Amino acid sequence: MKAARWHGVKDIRVEDIPEPKPGKGEVKVKVAWTGICGSDLHEYLAGPIFVPVDEDHPLSHDKAPITMGHEYCGTVAELGDGVTDLAVGDRVAIEPIFACGECAACLEGKYNLCDSLGFVGLSGGHGGFATYSVVPARMVHKMPQALSMEQGALVEPAAVALHAVRLSKIKAGDKAAVFGAGPIGLLVVESLRVAGASEIHVVEPSEVRRQKALDLGATSAIDPTAMDAVVEVREATGGVHVAFEVTGVPQVLPQCIDATRHEGQVLVVSIWEQEASFQPNTVVLKERQLKGTIAYRNVYPAVMALMTQGYFSADQLVTKRIPLDEIVAEGFEALAAEKSHVKILVEAPD
């Protein structure tokens, strides 16, 4: 079958590999759609970050070259021994977290904080940029009939955003800022609407993405290249209760801190390619909080329920659909060159 494989920085190849077979407790999925994630783009431009290169990942038992793709959905094609709660033909979204189940975080049910955390399509395994994927049955979530397959490919990134907002201290009626209106930032905007934020101020240099943020319910969309974003946010709000950092750009972190009120919170959602710095007194003197979030846990059902109510709509967020053969030129290179795209979906080959 065809698969898009990471071999190194700027070296992703669509090649033929053996079709995987499900073992005990595993499910084979005929992939439908897979989204290109910011994490995928980081691996393409500056990896390896999550991709294991010198040694096998302890849970995937895999290393580069690996089949990429972790935001994906499809149809159950085959069941391994012992899988009883799924049927061939079920439409499913994949929750691609590798977790050991034995470390302190896993034993507390916080499997996204696993000491050996990994992701299918980043840390090895049978990723979604392929015709078929095989994953443990616990990763497979049946989709409501009301959802399209394209919606299924958005469950994973929407889960990142919803988990971030749930982990924050935002309360109904609070004011928020979102720095960065890429796919996750825009999904954070929608998640903040779900949570009842009274004002959502978005900071984003791309005009297309600023407009998309307004379309999705943002109160304002600020161009940080044309004005002082912190001044704009503070003049509008007096300081927000929570600022979400969704850019991974080092100079943005102190801006997020300065945009919050006293006892405000900065929630860092990004995965970083380099270090960032801030003056600790900006946190100390106003008793602000700085908190991180990674991935999601126990949130897929809630995401899909919200999707049936019209949130996290593929019609609003998907800006391009491409075949697997064009994933490098029309996918990764397009995202690197053009920041107006929101979500690019890759259609699996037959």
Side-chain angles (χ1 to χ4, degrees):
M1 67 174 188
K2 283 186 176 180
R5 314 251 298 157
W6 188 96
H7 286 261
V9 172
K10 289 214 163 186
D11 186 6
I12 290 175
R13 307 174 200 170
V14 178
E15 48 197 16
D16 287 314
I17 64 170
E19 191 174 303
K21 300 291 183 186
K24 184 177 181 181
E26 293 182 330
V27 178
K28 180 177 180 179
V29 175
K30 171 62 182 77
V31 179
W33 293 97
T34 306
I36 301 178
C37 175
S39 299
D40 296 326
L41 189 60
H42 285 312
E43 297 288 355
Y44 178 69
L45 296 174
I49 299 169
F50 283 107
V51 175
V53 173
D54 296 322
E55 297 181 357
D56 287 357
H57 186 274
L59 300 179
S60 74
H61 308 296
D62 202 357
K63 65 180 180 181
I66 62 143
T67 300
M68 295 193 74
H70 61 278
E71 301 180 354
Y72 67 107
C73 64
T75 305
V76 173
E78 188 179 344
L79 301 174
D81 288 345
V83 180
T84 57
D85 55 347
L86 292 163
V88 171
D90 283 346
R91 300 156 68 254
V92 294
I94 307 303
E95 181 178 0
I97 287 184
F98 288 121
C100 72
E102 299 173 354
C103 69
C106 282
L107 291 175
E108 291 175 17
K110 298 175 180 177
Y111 55 89
N112 63 316
L113 306 182
C114 176
D115 288 344
S116 300
L117 178 68
F119 298 88
V120 175
L122 286 172
S123 310
H126 302 288
F129 292 138
T131 307
Y132 289 98
S133 171
V134 166
V135 293
R138 61 178 169 76
M139 294 185 180
V140 179
H141 294 262
K142 280 196 267 193
M143 289 167 50
Q145 284 302 314
L147 296 186
S148 71
M149 285 306 245
E150 287 192 4
Q151 285 296 146
L154 291 178
V155 175
E156 197 275 351
V160 172
L162 188 63
H163 176 69
V165 169
R166 287 166 63 143
L167 204 65
S168 78
K169 67 174 195 175
I170 202 83
K171 296 190 289 294
D174 282 355
K175 300 172 184 179
V178 180
F179 285 72
I184 300 297
L186 291 170
L187 290 161
V188 168
V189 169
E190 285 207 83
S191 298
L192 285 165
R193 285 179 50 221
V194 172
S198 62
E199 295 181 28
I200 307 166
H201 299 273
V202 172
V203 180
E204 168 59 50
S206 163
E207 183 179 358
V208 172
R209 288 177 169 183
R210 287 198 305 276
Q211 184 57 53
K212 185 62 70 175
L214 293 171
D215 293 344
L216 292 174
T219 309
S220 74
I222 299 160
D223 180 357
T225 66
M227 59 194 78
D228 187 321
V230 173
V231 170
E232 292 295 315
V233 170
R234 293 196 67 86
E235 284 185 352
T237 65
V240 294
H241 295 83
V242 183
F244 292 81
E245 196 297 310
V246 207
T247 70
V249 176
Q251 59 264 38
V252 173
L253 181 60
Q255 294 174 11
C256 289
I257 295 168
D258 292 339
T260 63
R261 69 198 296 274
H262 63 276
E263 295 186 313
Q265 182 186 61
V266 173
L267 203 76
V268 181
V269 187
S270 299
I271 299 296
W272 296 72
E273 293 178 6
Q274 54 189 309
E275 291 186 359
S277 62
F278 63 93
Q279 164 53 265
N281 285 343
T282 59
V283 174
V284 171
L285 296 178
K286 291 294 183 180
E287 293 190 351
R288 290 164 165 142
Q289 294 178 358
L290 192 62
K291 188 177 181 71
T293 174
I294 180 69
Y296 33 76
R297 58 178 179 262
N298 306 314
V299 76
Y300 265 47
V303 168
M304 291 188 288
L306 288 168
M307 282 181 168
T308 64
Q309 297 175 30
Y311 291 99
F312 314 128
S313 167
D315 290 340
Q316 292 265 31
L317 295 162
V318 176
T319 51
K320 192 176 184 181
R321 298 159 182 83
I322 61 174
L324 184 67
D325 282 333
E326 297 178 10
I327 191 170
V328 175
E330 296 299 322
F332 287 100
E333 286 294 336
L335 285 170
E338 178 53 70
K339 299 302 182 187
S340 63
H341 279 298
V342 179
K343 179 58 65 178
I344 295 178
L345 292 188
V346 179
E347 187 170 21
D350 291 330

mmCIF file of all heavy atoms in Angstrom, residues 133-171:
data_model
loop_
_atom_site.group_PDB
_atom_site.id
_atom_site.type_symbol
_atom_site.label_atom_id
_atom_site.label_comp_id
_atom_site.label_asym_id
_atom_site.label_seq_id
_atom_site.Cartn_x
_atom_site.Cartn_y
_atom_site.Cartn_z
ATOM 1 N N SER A 133 -4.443 1.613 8.382
ATOM 2 C CA SER A 133 -3.750 1.766 9.657
ATOM 3 C C SER A 133 -4.201 0.641 10.584
ATOM 4 O O SER A 133 -5.365 0.215 10.538
ATOM 5 C CB SER A 133 -4.081 3.123 10.292
ATOM 6 O OG SER A 133 -3.588 3.216 11.611
ATOM 7 N N VAL A 134 -3.279 0.166 11.409
ATOM 8 C CA VAL A 134 -3.625 -0.803 12.451
ATOM 9 C C VAL A 134 -3.277 -0.177 13.801
ATOM 10 O O VAL A 134 -2.145 0.291 13.997
ATOM 11 C CB VAL A 134 -2.878 -2.139 12.268
ATOM 12 C CG1 VAL A 134 -2.985 -2.995 13.525
ATOM 13 C CG2 VAL A 134 -3.451 -2.903 11.079
ATOM 14 N N VAL A 135 -4.243 -0.164 14.710
ATOM 15 C CA VAL A 135 -4.041 0.438 16.032
ATOM 16 C C VAL A 135 -4.700 -0.431 17.097
ATOM 17 O O VAL A 135 -5.601 -1.228 16.803
ATOM 18 C CB VAL A 135 -4.649 1.859 16.103
ATOM 19 C CG1 VAL A 135 -3.906 2.822 15.205
ATOM 20 C CG2 VAL A 135 -6.138 1.850 15.774
ATOM 21 N N PRO A 136 -4.273 -0.290 18.369
ATOM 22 C CA PRO A 136 -4.976 -0.960 19.459
ATOM 23 C C PRO A 136 -6.432 -0.520 19.524
ATOM 24 O O PRO A 136 -6.754 0.650 19.254
ATOM 25 C CB PRO A 136 -4.209 -0.505 20.707
ATOM 26 C CG PRO A 136 -2.868 -0.077 20.212
ATOM 27 C CD PRO A 136 -3.099 0.481 18.838
ATOM 28 N N ALA A 137 -7.309 -1.434 19.896
ATOM 29 C CA ALA A 137 -8.751 -1.137 19.899
ATOM 30 C C ALA A 137 -9.094 0.038 20.805
ATOM 31 O O ALA A 137 -10.058 0.773 20.536
ATOM 32 C CB ALA A 137 -9.529 -2.381 20.323
ATOM 33 N N ARG A 138 -8.311 0.249 21.874
ATOM 34 C CA ARG A 138 -8.621 1.351 22.793
ATOM 35 C C ARG A 138 -8.488 2.720 22.129
ATOM 36 O O ARG A 138 -9.011 3.713 22.634
ATOM 37 C CB ARG A 138 -7.716 1.287 24.027
ATOM 38 C CG ARG A 138 -6.248 1.420 23.715
ATOM 39 C CD ARG A 138 -5.367 1.405 24.962
ATOM 40 N NE ARG A 138 -3.958 1.287 24.610
ATOM 41 C CZ ARG A 138 -3.220 2.284 24.122
ATOM 42 N NH1 ARG A 138 -3.780 3.463 23.925
ATOM 43 N NH2 ARG A 138 -1.949 2.093 23.833
ATOM 44 N N MET A 139 -7.781 2.796 21.008
ATOM 45 C CA MET A 139 -7.622 4.070 20.304
ATOM 46 C C MET A 139 -8.797 4.399 19.392
ATOM 47 O O MET A 139 -8.846 5.488 18.815
ATOM 48 C CB MET A 139 -6.345 4.050 19.452
ATOM 49 C CG MET A 139 -5.045 3.971 20.215
ATOM 50 S SD MET A 139 -3.648 4.121 19.047
ATOM 51 C CE MET A 139 -2.253 3.996 20.175
ATOM 52 N N VAL A 140 -9.719 3.479 19.231
ATOM 53 C CA VAL A 140 -10.756 3.590 18.208
ATOM 54 C C VAL A 140 -12.073 4.053 18.833
ATOM 55 O O VAL A 140 -12.569 3.438 19.780
ATOM 56 C CB VAL A 140 -10.945 2.233 17.493
ATOM 57 C CG1 VAL A 140 -12.046 2.323 16.451
ATOM 58 C CG2 VAL A 140 -9.630 1.789 16.848
ATOM 59 N N HIS A 141 -12.622 5.146 18.302
ATOM 60 C CA HIS A 141 -13.882 5.697 18.804
ATOM 61 C C HIS A 141 -14.917 5.694 17.685
ATOM 62 O O HIS A 141 -14.693 6.286 16.621
ATOM 63 C CB HIS A 141 -13.696 7.134 19.294
ATOM 64 C CG HIS A 141 -12.812 7.263 20.496
ATOM 65 N ND1 HIS A 141 -13.307 7.376 21.779
ATOM 66 C CD2 HIS A 141 -11.461 7.271 20.600
ATOM 67 C CE1 HIS A 141 -12.291 7.481 22.623
ATOM 68 N NE2 HIS A 141 -11.161 7.420 21.930
ATOM 69 N N LYS A 142 -16.047 5.055 17.915
ATOM 70 C CA LYS A 142 -17.132 5.073 16.932
ATOM 71 C C LYS A 142 -17.680 6.491 16.788
ATOM 72 O O LYS A 142 -17.902 7.196 17.781
ATOM 73 C CB LYS A 142 -18.252 4.111 17.348
ATOM 74 C CG LYS A 142 -17.965 2.667 17.011
ATOM 75 C CD LYS A 142 -19.210 1.809 17.069
ATOM 76 C CE LYS A 142 -19.369 1.172 18.417
ATOM 77 N NZ LYS A 142 -20.390 0.089 18.399
ATOM 78 N N MET A 143 -17.905 6.895 15.539
ATOM 79 C CA MET A 143 -18.422 8.225 15.260
ATOM 80 C C MET A 143 -19.944 8.216 15.178
ATOM 81 O O MET A 143 -20.525 7.264 14.657
ATOM 82 C CB MET A 143 -17.858 8.730 13.919
ATOM 83 C CG MET A 143 -16.389 9.075 13.939
ATOM 84 S SD MET A 143 -15.703 9.290 12.263
ATOM 85 C CE MET A 143 -16.894 10.432 11.544
ATOM 86 N N PRO A 144 -20.602 9.268 15.669
ATOM 87 C CA PRO A 144 -22.056 9.381 15.472
ATOM 88 C C PRO A 144 -22.391 9.401 13.987
ATOM 89 O O PRO A 144 -21.646 9.963 13.176
ATOM 90 C CB PRO A 144 -22.397 10.719 16.133
ATOM 91 C CG PRO A 144 -21.267 11.002 17.072
ATOM 92 C CD PRO A 144 -20.054 10.385 16.457
ATOM 93 N N GLN A 145 -23.513 8.813 13.626
ATOM 94 C CA GLN A 145 -23.913 8.750 12.216
ATOM 95 C C GLN A 145 -24.086 10.135 11.610
ATOM 96 O O GLN A 145 -23.935 10.315 10.402
ATOM 97 C CB GLN A 145 -25.214 7.951 12.075
ATOM 98 C CG GLN A 145 -25.034 6.447 12.201
ATOM 99 C CD GLN A 145 -24.057 5.889 11.170
ATOM 100 O OE1 GLN A 145 -24.126 6.219 9.990
ATOM 101 N NE2 GLN A 145 -23.136 5.033 11.616
ATOM 102 N N ALA A 146 -24.384 11.127 12.445
ATOM 103 C CA ALA A 146 -24.626 12.476 11.935
ATOM 104 C C ALA A 146 -23.359 13.163 11.431
ATOM 105 O O ALA A 146 -23.443 14.167 10.716
ATOM 106 C CB ALA A 146 -25.263 13.339 13.031
ATOM 107 N N LEU A 147 -22.190 12.641 11.782
ATOM 108 C CA LEU A 147 -20.934 13.292 11.414
ATOM 109 C C LEU A 147 -20.390 12.756 10.094
ATOM 110 O O LEU A 147 -20.399 11.548 9.856
ATOM 111 C CB LEU A 147 -19.877 13.099 12.511
ATOM 112 C CG LEU A 147 -20.171 13.721 13.875
ATOM 113 C CD1 LEU A 147 -18.969 13.555 14.783
ATOM 114 C CD2 LEU A 147 -20.556 15.191 13.747
ATOM 115 N N SER A 148 -19.884 13.662 9.266
ATOM 116 C CA SER A 148 -19.232 13.265 8.029
ATOM 117 C C SER A 148 -17.849 12.708 8.324
ATOM 118 O O SER A 148 -17.292 12.914 9.402
ATOM 119 C CB SER A 148 -19.096 14.475 7.093
ATOM 120 O OG SER A 148 -18.121 15.377 7.615
ATOM 121 N N MET A 149 -17.258 12.013 7.347
ATOM 122 C CA MET A 149 -15.911 11.511 7.524
ATOM 123 C C MET A 149 -14.903 12.651 7.657
ATOM 124 O O MET A 149 -13.927 12.528 8.390
ATOM 125 C CB MET A 149 -15.529 10.596 6.354
ATOM 126 C CG MET A 149 -16.179 9.236 6.415
ATOM 127 S SD MET A 149 -15.864 8.404 8.000
ATOM 128 C CE MET A 149 -14.900 7.017 7.495
ATOM 129 N N GLU A 150 -15.131 13.762 6.967
ATOM 130 C CA GLU A 150 -14.228 14.897 7.122
ATOM 131 C C GLU A 150 -14.236 15.396 8.562
ATOM 132 O O GLU A 150 -13.196 15.774 9.105
ATOM 133 C CB GLU A 150 -14.605 16.023 6.162
ATOM 134 C CG GLU A 150 -14.267 15.729 4.711
ATOM 135 C CD GLU A 150 -14.375 16.959 3.834
ATOM 136 O OE1 GLU A 150 -14.641 18.056 4.371
ATOM 137 O OE2 GLU A 150 -14.180 16.839 2.614
ATOM 138 N N GLN A 151 -15.401 15.388 9.195
ATOM 139 C CA GLN A 151 -15.459 15.763 10.613
ATOM 140 C C GLN A 151 -14.600 14.826 11.455
ATOM 141 O O GLN A 151 -13.957 15.243 12.421
ATOM 142 C CB GLN A 151 -16.902 15.742 11.114
ATOM 143 C CG GLN A 151 -17.746 16.889 10.677
ATOM 144 C CD GLN A 151 -17.288 18.236 11.208
ATOM 145 O OE1 GLN A 151 -17.416 19.245 10.543
ATOM 146 N NE2 GLN A 151 -16.724 18.272 12.412
ATOM 147 N N GLY A 152 -14.579 13.563 11.067
ATOM 148 C CA GLY A 152 -13.791 12.584 11.827
ATOM 149 C C GLY A 152 -12.321 12.935 11.887
ATOM 150 O O GLY A 152 -11.638 12.668 12.883
ATOM 151 N N ALA A 153 -11.805 13.557 10.813
ATOM 152 C CA ALA A 153 -10.396 13.936 10.786
ATOM 153 C C ALA A 153 -10.113 15.164 11.653
ATOM 154 O O ALA A 153 -8.952 15.473 11.927
ATOM 155 C CB ALA A 153 -9.956 14.211 9.348
ATOM 156 N N LEU A 154 -11.172 15.857 12.095
ATOM 157 C CA LEU A 154 -10.992 17.033 12.942
ATOM 158 C C LEU A 154 -11.178 16.733 14.422
ATOM 159 O O LEU A 154 -10.977 17.617 15.262
ATOM 160 C CB LEU A 154 -11.965 18.135 12.520
ATOM 161 C CG LEU A 154 -11.709 18.793 11.163
ATOM 162 C CD1 LEU A 154 -12.786 19.820 10.870
ATOM 163 C CD2 LEU A 154 -10.339 19.452 11.125
ATOM 164 N N VAL A 155 -11.561 15.499 14.763
ATOM 165 C CA VAL A 155 -11.793 15.176 16.179
ATOM 166 C C VAL A 155 -10.503 15.345 16.981
ATOM 167 O O VAL A 155 -10.505 15.925 18.072
ATOM 168 C CB VAL A 155 -12.363 13.756 16.337
ATOM 169 C CG1 VAL A 155 -12.484 13.392 17.814
ATOM 170 C CG2 VAL A 155 -13.725 13.642 15.664
ATOM 171 N N GLU A 156 -9.378 14.854 16.437
ATOM 172 C CA GLU A 156 -8.115 14.917 17.188
ATOM 173 C C GLU A 156 -7.691 16.359 17.476
ATOM 174 O O GLU A 156 -7.451 16.717 18.640
ATOM 175 C CB GLU A 156 -7.024 14.138 16.437
ATOM 176 C CG GLU A 156 -5.816 13.788 17.290
ATOM 177 C CD GLU A 156 -4.765 14.868 17.381
ATOM 178 O OE1 GLU A 156 -4.856 15.883 16.650
ATOM 179 O OE2 GLU A 156 -3.827 14.727 18.190
ATOM 180 N N PRO A 157 -7.581 17.249 16.478
ATOM 181 C CA PRO A 157 -7.195 18.621 16.818
ATOM 182 C C PRO A 157 -8.226 19.346 17.677
ATOM 183 O O PRO A 157 -7.865 20.155 18.543
ATOM 184 C CB PRO A 157 -7.021 19.299 15.451
ATOM 185 C CG PRO A 157 -7.794 18.459 14.492
ATOM 186 C CD PRO A 157 -7.694 17.059 15.017
ATOM 187 N N ALA A 158 -9.512 19.057 17.465
ATOM 188 C CA ALA A 158 -10.532 19.675 18.322
ATOM 189 C C ALA A 158 -10.387 19.202 19.767
ATOM 190 O O ALA A 158 -10.630 19.969 20.714
ATOM 191 C CB ALA A 158 -11.928 19.363 17.788
ATOM 192 N N ALA A 159 -9.958 17.957 19.946
ATOM 193 C CA ALA A 159 -9.736 17.431 21.297
ATOM 194 C C ALA A 159 -8.606 18.183 21.992
ATOM 195 O O ALA A 159 -8.670 18.452 23.197
ATOM 196 C CB ALA A 159 -9.426 15.936 21.240
ATOM 197 N N VAL A 160 -7.555 18.531 21.249
ATOM 198 C CA VAL A 160 -6.455 19.327 21.811
ATOM 199 C C VAL A 160 -6.999 20.641 22.360
ATOM 200 O O VAL A 160 -6.695 21.057 23.485
ATOM 201 C CB VAL A 160 -5.379 19.605 20.745
ATOM 202 C CG1 VAL A 160 -4.329 20.595 21.264
ATOM 203 C CG2 VAL A 160 -4.705 18.312 20.299
ATOM 204 N N ALA A 161 -7.817 21.314 21.554
ATOM 205 C CA ALA A 161 -8.345 22.619 21.940
ATOM 206 C C ALA A 161 -9.323 22.522 23.105
ATOM 207 O O ALA A 161 -9.257 23.312 24.058
ATOM 208 C CB ALA A 161 -9.029 23.270 20.735
ATOM 209 N N LEU A 162 -10.231 21.560 23.042
ATOM 210 C CA LEU A 162 -11.224 21.433 24.111
ATOM 211 C C LEU A 162 -10.552 21.060 25.430
ATOM 212 O O LEU A 162 -10.901 21.601 26.490
ATOM 213 C CB LEU A 162 -12.286 20.399 23.739
ATOM 214 C CG LEU A 162 -13.476 20.320 24.691
ATOM 215 C CD1 LEU A 162 -14.252 21.634 24.714
ATOM 216 C CD2 LEU A 162 -14.421 19.175 24.308
ATOM 217 N N HIS A 163 -9.570 20.160 25.379
ATOM 218 C CA HIS A 163 -8.838 19.797 26.599
ATOM 219 C C HIS A 163 -8.124 21.015 27.176
ATOM 220 O O HIS A 163 -8.123 21.229 28.396
ATOM 221 C CB HIS A 163 -7.831 18.681 26.302
ATOM 222 C CG HIS A 163 -6.975 18.318 27.474
ATOM 223 N ND1 HIS A 163 -7.471 17.675 28.593
ATOM 224 C CD2 HIS A 163 -5.649 18.515 27.711
ATOM 225 C CE1 HIS A 163 -6.489 17.483 29.460
ATOM 226 N NE2 HIS A 163 -5.377 17.981 28.947
ATOM 227 N N ALA A 164 -7.527 21.842 26.311
ATOM 228 C CA ALA A 164 -6.825 23.032 26.791
ATOM 229 C C ALA A 164 -7.771 23.969 27.524
ATOM 230 O O ALA A 164 -7.457 24.479 28.604
ATOM 231 C CB ALA A 164 -6.155 23.760 25.617
ATOM 232 N N VAL A 165 -8.933 24.207 26.948
ATOM 233 C CA VAL A 165 -9.896 25.115 27.579
ATOM 234 C C VAL A 165 -10.436 24.510 28.870
ATOM 235 O O VAL A 165 -10.589 25.206 29.884
ATOM 236 C CB VAL A 165 -11.023 25.467 26.591
ATOM 237 C CG1 VAL A 165 -12.171 26.195 27.293
ATOM 238 C CG2 VAL A 165 -10.469 26.326 25.460
ATOM 239 N N ARG A 166 -10.692 23.214 28.872
ATOM 240 C CA ARG A 166 -11.166 22.559 30.100
ATOM 241 C C ARG A 166 -10.120 22.587 31.195
ATOM 242 O O ARG A 166 -10.444 22.644 32.391
ATOM 243 C CB ARG A 166 -11.588 21.121 29.790
ATOM 244 C CG ARG A 166 -12.900 21.042 29.021
ATOM 245 C CD ARG A 166 -13.177 19.680 28.420
ATOM 246 N NE ARG A 166 -13.325 18.617 29.395
ATOM 247 C CZ ARG A 166 -14.194 17.609 29.271
ATOM 248 N NH1 ARG A 166 -14.990 17.554 28.226
ATOM 249 N NH2 ARG A 166 -14.267 16.667 30.164
ATOM 250 N N LEU A 167 -8.841 22.529 30.802
ATOM 251 C CA LEU A 167 -7.757 22.540 31.779
ATOM 252 C C LEU A 167 -7.496 23.941 32.323
ATOM 253 O O LEU A 167 -6.941 24.099 33.415
ATOM 254 C CB LEU A 167 -6.485 22.000 31.115
ATOM 255 C CG LEU A 167 -5.405 21.402 32.010
ATOM 256 C CD1 LEU A 167 -5.918 20.142 32.704
ATOM 257 C CD2 LEU A 167 -4.162 21.080 31.190
ATOM 258 N N SER A 168 -7.884 24.957 31.562
ATOM 259 C CA SER A 168 -7.672 26.340 31.992
ATOM 260 C C SER A 168 -8.635 26.699 33.117
ATOM 261 O O SER A 168 -9.528 25.918 33.464
ATOM 262 C CB SER A 168 -7.885 27.294 30.815
ATOM 263 O OG SER A 168 -9.276 27.501 30.568
ATOM 264 N N LYS A 169 -8.455 27.893 33.650
ATOM 265 C CA LYS A 169 -9.358 28.321 34.730
ATOM 266 C C LYS A 169 -10.477 29.220 34.204
ATOM 267 O O LYS A 169 -11.134 29.913 34.973
ATOM 268 C CB LYS A 169 -8.574 29.018 35.843
ATOM 269 C CG LYS A 169 -7.943 30.350 35.482
ATOM 270 C CD LYS A 169 -7.331 30.970 36.737
ATOM 271 C CE LYS A 169 -7.024 32.445 36.517
ATOM 272 N NZ LYS A 169 -6.551 33.092 37.767
ATOM 273 N N ILE A 170 -10.718 29.195 32.896
ATOM 274 C CA ILE A 170 -11.766 30.022 32.311
ATOM 275 C C ILE A 170 -13.130 29.628 32.874
ATOM 276 O O ILE A 170 -13.416 28.443 33.073
ATOM 277 C CB ILE A 170 -11.764 29.919 30.763
ATOM 278 C CG1 ILE A 170 -12.438 31.141 30.133
ATOM 279 C CG2 ILE A 170 -12.432 28.633 30.282
ATOM 280 C CD1 ILE A 170 -11.541 32.325 30.005
ATOM 281 N N LYS A 171 -13.945 30.635 33.158
ATOM 282 C CA LYS A 171 -15.309 30.403 33.633
ATOM 283 C C LYS A 171 -16.273 31.191 32.755
ATOM 284 O O LYS A 171 -15.877 32.167 32.107
ATOM 285 C CB LYS A 171 -15.458 30.820 35.099
ATOM 286 C CG LYS A 171 -14.615 30.006 36.072
ATOM 287 C CD LYS A 171 -14.983 30.284 37.507
ATOM 288 C CE LYS A 171 -14.551 31.676 37.961
ATOM 289 N NZ LYS A 171 -13.076 31.831 37.995
#
